[in-house]
Amino acid sequence: MSYHIYLAGEIHSDWRAELEKQISEELDVEFIFSGPQENHEKSDAIGETILGTQPDLLYRDIQSSKINNLRTQLFLRKADLVIAYFGEKFRQWNTASDVSLALAKNKPVILIRPENLHHPLKELSERANVTVDTIPKAVQVLKYLFD
Amino acid sequence: MSYHIYLAGEIHSDWRAELEKQISEELDVEFIFSGPQENHEKSDAIGETILGTQPDLLYRDIQSSKINNLRTQLFLRKADLVIAYFGEKFRQWNTASDVSLALAKNKPVILIRPENLHHPLKELSERANVTVDTIPKAVQVLKYLFD
Amino acid sequence: MSYHIYLAGEIHSDWRAELEKQISEELDVEFIFSGPQENHEKSDAIGETILGTQPDLLYRDIQSSKINNLRTQLFLRKADLVIAYFGEKFRQWNTASDVSLALAKNKPVILIRPENLHHPLKELSERANVTVDTIPKAVQVLKYLFD
Amino acid sequence: MSYHIYLAGEIHSDWRAELEKQISEELDVEFIFSGPQENHEKSDAIGETILGTQPDLLYRDIQSSKINNLRTQLFLRKADLVIAYFGEKFRQWNTASDVSLALAKNKPVILIRPENLHHPLKELSERANVTVDTIPKAVQVLKYLFD
Amino acid sequence: MSYHIYLAGEIHSDWRAELEKQISEELDVEFIFSGPQENHEKSDAIGETILGTQPDLLYRDIQSSKINNLRTQLFLRKADLVIAYFGEKFRQWNTASDVSLALAKNKPVILIRPENLHHPLKELSERANVTVDTIPKAVQVLKYLFD
Amino acid sequence: MSYHIYLAGEIHSDWRAELEKQISEELDVEFIFSGPQENHEKSDAIGETILGTQPDLLYRDIQSSKINNLRTQLFLRKADLVIAYFGEKFRQWNTASDVSLALAKNKPVILIRPENLHHPLKELSERANVTVDTIPKAVQVLKYLFD
Amino acid sequence: MSYHIYLAGEIHSDWRAELEKQISEELDVEFIFSGPQENHEKSDAIGETILGTQPDLLYRDIQSSKINNLRTQLFLRKADLVIAYFGEKFRQWNTASDVSLALAKNKPVILIRPENLHHPLKELSERANVTVDTIPKAVQVLKYLFD
Amino acid sequence: MSYHIYLAGEIHSDWRAELEKQISEELDVEFIFSGPQENHEKSDAIGETILGTQPDLLYRDIQSSKINNLRTQLFLRKADLVIAYFGEKFRQWNTASDVSLALAKNKPVILIRPENLHHPLKELSERANVTVDTIPKAVQVLKYLFD
């Protein structure tokens, strides 16, 4: 039996690779990982890549967002667990949205965020199941669940 | 017959009062409005106000968030429509969360945000029904619905 | 106690007025009626009316559709019963969509369509509760329900 | 892990075979494909094939539709993703219905339709996740999701 | 505040009138009562009454059932509580179906049946909340709830 | 990929074995079959078998029904498709209930019943997807779905 | 507009009357209150009161529980908010169950329990929205919501 | 095909090992078992183990509960069947909560409890499917389901 984990959040660091590496070292369980497009340029351009040049930046974003939302919805529906990483940079409102859609579907959620982001994330932290401030701590939570 | 509108988002301006005023001038429909606690100090302090002094700021926030989430959940469940306002200030991740919980419950959502916030809100805008950049435009949408 | 009836479908005839008139003559029950924007020009233009001129017809339609979908979702959620009218003209795919969203939400649906549209509507007719070919027959169904 | 894709829509061209061929060339993921009965005669006759001659064309259609709806419901429930193709011919109201039932069940949907069908499909396009005008573009979307 | 009670089951006795009379004598709560068409001839004929003569009895029943199911679905959705009466006569499979649809929607159900029908109803009785063998006992249950 | 079919209904004939045999001959698809306890004595006695002698027949039935309902609920939840057989004998209210719980969960349902049971089953037939009068016809329906 | 509050929990003190009194003094909002049967003897005896003497205490409890569960289900479905009081006495597993059913239905929950019950209630407290240790504090929470 | 059984309840005895042993001896079906953390110290300490020392026992419990709730939610969502054991010791309110969340999700539940706990568990027993007083009887129930 395998578990599907959706990795929401920051795409400007290699936290997913780091998390997956630590999990594979610590746990002997089959996990399937999914998440958003991590290539930022590709993510912002996908609408025009597929549909051709759009009349302006607003429509360029509209078309890319539709495809990115399709991706998120497809994989989030399959997820047994969601781990979301909030970094210092960017507003990441789509991360807050992904987490909340998962919560509304009764999917367990672990938040990772630096301590100093605690205050702006306080309501979301209390809606999620668990909040930690580092990747190794998230791995420890998984270790507690699956050992 | 009345409609319940939940007003999510920024609490540091009088946009709710402005919106309600314009709606009452434009439309002859009974609306019930609800939203988060708009007194920021009161909102941040409510945990300690009720439960007493907490060990530090993190725990102070945990207790206040629980009560603020209770408030949001209570009124969001009653809402027929959600209007969310994203301002320039603050990260407003709880606003993105409120909107997404409403979307997951199949509630129609109108986003209001200044044009320059378009890019970071692009996925959320495409999940919501309609996005406009001013309060009068949101009122025009309501006018179109209820005239 | 009142019942909310959503009147989906053709906007190029006065079938709604005719149906409401006959219902008020035949039944002593309070009904609240809602439906799509019946002014076709207004419906197609609403995106630009609110958001300003769009780059071309495709984007004009995208913005109008978002607002029309908001309207449909808002009122369809309130409906206890849906009556949909398919006329000879236009493809009316949004009518088929409205009906199906209502069916998925377990809302009872009455279809009205001319006999000669029977074949292309056959799957939808069997998903709906009842299909009739004239407005007076739909009124007779309501009479049977509420007498 | 495999993904189930339901292919709704036109049955009068070989678009499904074409799409499946391109997907298998482009992607190394196991997909299970399902869809409506593609043999039009068989689809229209299935009611009488199983239940015997019906008294008239209307009942012939009623009985066939019930069996076709059973088929759609069975496979649509299993689908992780729906791709719907709207062609020039026929009104395809059942396609609009299949898509909408899938959307109501929170399943991601890609629409394929020729540009000139844009206007009558505009509301449905905005309810779906992504709309493209050719099969290769739909394949590019899948490539973006699964690469 | 009023409560909507759907009265499923036997239509060949005046149990509904008797139940409503006893409730009005015992309780000072506003109840809205609904149920199936109690005029058996009218119920069996409604399809032909509205749609005209059908080819034979089977198709006559198909059309009447669709309209009766519409009625049941409309009122069952509004019900806060379902009371079902199983009499000696007839197989009343639609009553068992109404009750089960209500249970699946998490609506509380009281069954009334003569003691000697206990065995064939045993699974349904255990799915329902409460089973009694007379109308006055059902009224006593309501009295316990609302006093 | 396999499909789970729940076989509701009559336990006093070997229709399940017959259906499974015909399916295996006609179709090259992996099916998992489940259904109620087919040994009538065992089914009626299971409460006392596990919990010991009960004070009377009514409690004997109550305890057996609880265990039979557990069985039905467990397997019905797993089912992709339900086939229900109504025979001449017994009132089979639990079969009508199983079918209706499945319908409420949006599971496709095929009814098998002799022609002469058509009238008492008419509402349930119209709630189900397809009704046939023999096992071979039900197998033909499956053949149409899975060929 | 009124709000329905279900008051789960201890029936061996007058906490409900006290809470309702304080709420009416503090808030100018219309609340409808419901809860379990507060007369313990009546609650334990209701099965026999309605159905007659049962064979022994176990069956006496089975029949009373069915009627008490009916009551809880009826009113809990109507509730906008649940307030649960855990006292020192009794195991109150049905209170923990009522709260959890409400949480599963996405209803906001406030727990009241003496500080010394914190440890055994810790998981439930974190599933609920807010936990306080006195009635006046629960009233303060309501005051914060509705002022 | 395998079935996932969540084993809720007492963690101070080896009932899970005993149950799993008896099941493996009696049944030739693949079961996946999950349940809460059975190491009580580890369970109470997990919050501090991962997040570091908390300011007091209350916050120590809050943080541990969040992680224990995450674990329960993750595995309960996967469960096809829940078996809950109530022992003499401890109040086990989280067990009553786990069972009720499972019931609200329409998952079948078997309760095991010593006869003398019958009265305080009576409402929960009637909400669950089956209640027995020993592990071997629970195994007999599974044998009846899967033989």
Side-chain angles (χ1 to χ4, degrees), chain C residues 8-109:
Chain C
E10 181 176 281
I11 63 173
H12 310 86
S13 69
D14 65 350
W15 72 276
R16 287 178 180 78
E18 182 55 29
L19 181 75
E20 293 180 31
K21 180 171 160 301
Q22 290 185 33
I23 288 171
S24 64
E25 287 164 5
E26 295 276 6
L27 285 160
D28 184 22
V29 180
E30 189 196 335
F31 292 107
I32 295 152
F33 294 100
S34 62
Q37 172 57 250
E38 294 181 63
N39 177 326
H40 199 172
E41 291 61 43
K42 202 171 172 184
S43 170
D44 282 354
I46 187 62
E48 291 193 333
T49 305
I50 290 175
L51 299 168
T53 307
Q54 300 300 308
D56 64 23
L57 288 178
L58 189 141
Y59 303 102
R60 180 178 191 263
D61 280 347
I62 285 178
Q63 297 299 357
S64 295
S65 303
K66 287 175 180 292
I67 296 168
N68 287 322
N69 285 341
L70 168 65
R71 181 188 177 117
T72 306
Q73 187 176 338
L74 175 67
F75 293 120
L76 211 48
R77 287 184 78 248
K78 307 288 280 186
D80 299 309
L81 175 68
V82 174
I83 301 177
Y85 184 100
F86 284 87
E88 303 279 5
K89 284 181 300 189
F90 304 97
R91 289 173 182 267
Q92 307 166 81
W93 280 319
N94 50 352
T95 306
S97 178
D98 296 347
V99 164
S100 304
L101 292 175
L103 290 168
K105 304 293 180 197
N106 190 38
K107 307 204 175 203
V109 173

Side-chain angles (χ1 to χ4, degrees), chain H residues 79-93:
Chain H
D80 299 307
L81 175 68
V82 173
I83 301 176
Y85 185 100
F86 284 87
E88 303 280 4
K89 285 181 299 189
F90 304 99
R91 288 171 182 268
Q92 307 168 81
W93 279 318

Side-chain angles (χ1 to χ4, degrees), chain F residues 2-18:
Chain F
S2 65
Y3 289 84
H4 188 129
I5 301 179
Y6 186 85
L7 301 171
E10 181 177 281
I11 63 174
H12 310 86
S13 68
D14 64 351
W15 73 275
R16 287 178 181 79
E18 182 55 29

Side-chain angles (χ1 to χ4, degrees), chain C residues 86-88 113-121 133, chain D residues 91 93:
Chain C
F86 284 87
E88 303 279 5
R113 51 103 187 98
E115 184 85 20
N116 63 309
L117 286 185
H118 162 67
H119 188 70
L121 275 169
D133 57 6
Chain D
R91 288 171 181 268
W93 280 320

Side-chain angles (χ1 to χ4, degrees), chain D residues 9-124:
Chain D
E10 181 176 281
I11 63 173
H12 310 87
S13 69
D14 64 350
W15 72 275
R16 287 178 181 79
E18 181 56 29
L19 181 75
E20 293 180 31
K21 179 170 161 303
Q22 291 184 32
I23 289 171
S24 64
E25 288 164 4
E26 295 276 6
L27 286 159
D28 184 23
V29 179
E30 189 196 338
F31 292 107
I32 295 152
F33 294 99
S34 62
Q37 171 57 249
E38 293 181 66
N39 177 326
H40 199 170
E41 291 63 40
K42 201 171 173 182
S43 170
D44 282 354
I46 188 62
E48 292 193 329
T49 304
I50 289 173
L51 299 167
T53 307
Q54 300 299 306
D56 57 28
L57 287 176
L58 190 140
Y59 278 106
R60 178 177 192 265
D61 281 346
I62 285 177
Q63 298 297 0
S64 294
S65 303
K66 287 175 180 292
I67 297 168
N68 286 322
N69 284 342
L70 168 65
R71 179 187 178 118
T72 306
Q73 188 176 336
L74 175 67
F75 293 120
L76 212 46
R77 289 184 77 246
K78 307 288 280 186
D80 299 308
L81 175 69
V82 174
I83 300 175
Y85 185 100
F86 284 88
E88 303 279 5
K89 284 179 300 187
F90 305 97
R91 288 171 181 268
Q92 310 169 81
W93 280 320
N94 51 353
T95 306
S97 179
D98 296 348
V99 165
S100 303
L101 293 175
L103 290 168
K105 304 293 178 195
N106 191 38
K107 306 203 175 201
V109 173
I110 300 170
L111 292 191
I112 309 173
R113 52 105 188 96
E115 185 85 19
N116 64 310
L117 286 186
H118 161 68
H119 188 71
L121 276 170
K122 64 187 194 300
E123 275 81 16
L124 197 51

